[in-house]
Amino acid sequence: MTTPAAPPITDRETWQKQLDELRLREKAHTREGDAIAATRRRLPMVEVDPATRLVGPDGPVPLLDVFEGRSQLVASYHMWHTGRPAADQCEGCTFFTGQVLELAYLHSRDVTFAVFCQGPFEESSRYRDFMGWQAPWYSVPAQSLDPLVAGRAFGMKACYLRQGDRVFETYWTTGRGCEAMAPSYGLLDMTVYGRQEDWENSPEGWSQRFRTDGDQFRLDGRPTSQWSRLAAGRDDDLGTTGHAGSEHHCHCGSTPAGS
């Protein structure tokens, strides 16, 4: 076996000195993030029809009800490939949606998190059940695409504010802006080999086995996190015909230079 490339070895004092120098850059990066967030909080907002319909487990519901009585809502717009089996569903949206696990902290700030799926509720909610996700799940019917998606694309994340019976969109992002949902990336960025994706600036010999066209979210032909569900004996039958639709490529968080 070939020994993988690794950093040079040094003494702890030398190592700590270089780490302290890096820490100055890390702290500056954190402060810049704080400044960007401060600007984000000062953006204007655009009104959205609160009666816009979504489909949940009990049938159609207005957007206003999705807030669950809270003043804010974060919606993850989940791509869907209607008629395709679980293995062919969006690997990027699966990656991001699956990492939003504990909602209590959002709720403590008066924020509701929900998934707005592109596909039909019955089919896509079977996927939610297969994956074991607990976050509220809704389907976006065709008549609600214009007021909600407004010419953008599924894969985006959007934030809303409720004031009484009025609803406003305050922010949205896509591409690498979705990485806020993925603590796995933050942890990988702290490791010596990073994300192991082909765009990263890494030393010669570092593993970069993943492309950024969706390959980084798949393993052996499926979205990576599906394998543990299958190993646990869960049924991934979505009631689909198997191969409807056309070829697709996930663009959720897959553009290294984008936002």
Side-chain angles (χ1 to χ4, degrees):
M1 294 181 64
T2 302
T3 302
I9 299 171
T10 190
D11 60 90
R12 180 166 290 275
E13 182 179 357
T14 302
W15 174 77
Q16 187 61 51
K17 181 180 178 181
Q18 293 190 36
L19 184 57
D20 289 343
E21 293 172 354
L22 177 62
R23 196 78 73 209
L24 295 175
R25 296 178 61 189
E26 290 180 337
K27 289 182 178 180
H29 178 72
T30 298
R31 287 191 291 268
E32 178 61 15
D34 292 341
I36 291 171
T39 301
R40 188 182 295 119
R41 291 192 292 272
R42 288 164 171 80
L43 289 172
M45 57 188 183
V46 62
E47 191 158 11
V48 180
D49 184 357
T52 302
R53 294 283 169 174
L54 296 111
V55 179
D58 299 320
V61 295
L63 175 62
L64 194 66
D65 287 2
V66 177
F67 283 77
E68 298 179 346
R70 301 183 181 92
S71 66
Q72 297 181 80
L73 168 68
V74 176
S76 177
Y77 283 77
H78 191 107
M79 292 174 63
W80 189 257
H81 307 293
T82 302
R84 288 186 172 272
D88 287 349
Q89 292 307 322
C90 179
E91 57 274 7
C93 289
T94 298
F95 174 79
F96 288 109
T97 298
Q99 295 188 62
V100 182
L101 302 177
E102 179 54 70
L103 302 179
Y105 300 103
L106 293 174
H107 294 172
S108 74
R109 267 67 169 183
D110 205 29
V111 177
T112 294
F113 175 84
V115 178
F116 289 3
C117 191
Q118 187 176 13
F121 182 81
E122 182 178 1
E123 181 180 309
S124 65
S125 66
R126 289 186 185 182
Y127 189 66
R128 172 185 181 257
D129 294 342
F130 163 58
M131 295 303 298
W133 296 332
Q134 299 300 310
W137 188 277
Y138 300 90
S139 175
V140 181
Q143 64 268 28
S144 297
L145 291 175
D146 284 345
L148 291 178
V149 181
R152 295 166 291 185
F154 279 82
M156 71 175 188
K157 318 304 170 192
C159 300
Y160 301 91
L161 174 68
R162 178 177 67 86
Q163 293 185 328
D165 291 336
R166 300 176 71 185
V167 173
F168 303 87
E169 185 175 346
T170 61
Y171 178 73
W172 74 278
T173 190
T174 190
R176 291 197 66 187
C178 300
E179 288 183 7
M181 294 178 62
S184 291
Y185 265 161
L187 292 172
L188 286 169
D189 285 343
M190 290 194 291
T191 68
V192 68
Y193 294 122
R195 305 180 188 193
Q196 301 174 50
E197 295 176 1
D198 59 12
W199 64 273
E200 289 178 288
N201 181 356
S202 294
E204 185 70 26
W206 256 231
S207 172
Q208 293 184 301
R209 56 181 292 232
F210 296 101
R211 302 186 309 274
T212 52
D213 56 1
D215 173 69
Q216 73 272 42
F217 305 130
R218 284 186 169 266
L219 184 66
D220 296 333
R222 282 180 174 266
T224 303
S225 56
Q226 289 187 8
W227 289 110
S228 60
R229 276 71 177 179
L230 292 170
R234 294 184 188 173
D235 185 358
D236 71 343
D237 181 10
L238 306 181
T240 64
T241 56
H243 292 285
S246 58
E247 282 296 313
H248 68 274
H249 297 282
C250 175
H251 299 289
C252 305
S254 63
T255 307
S259 61

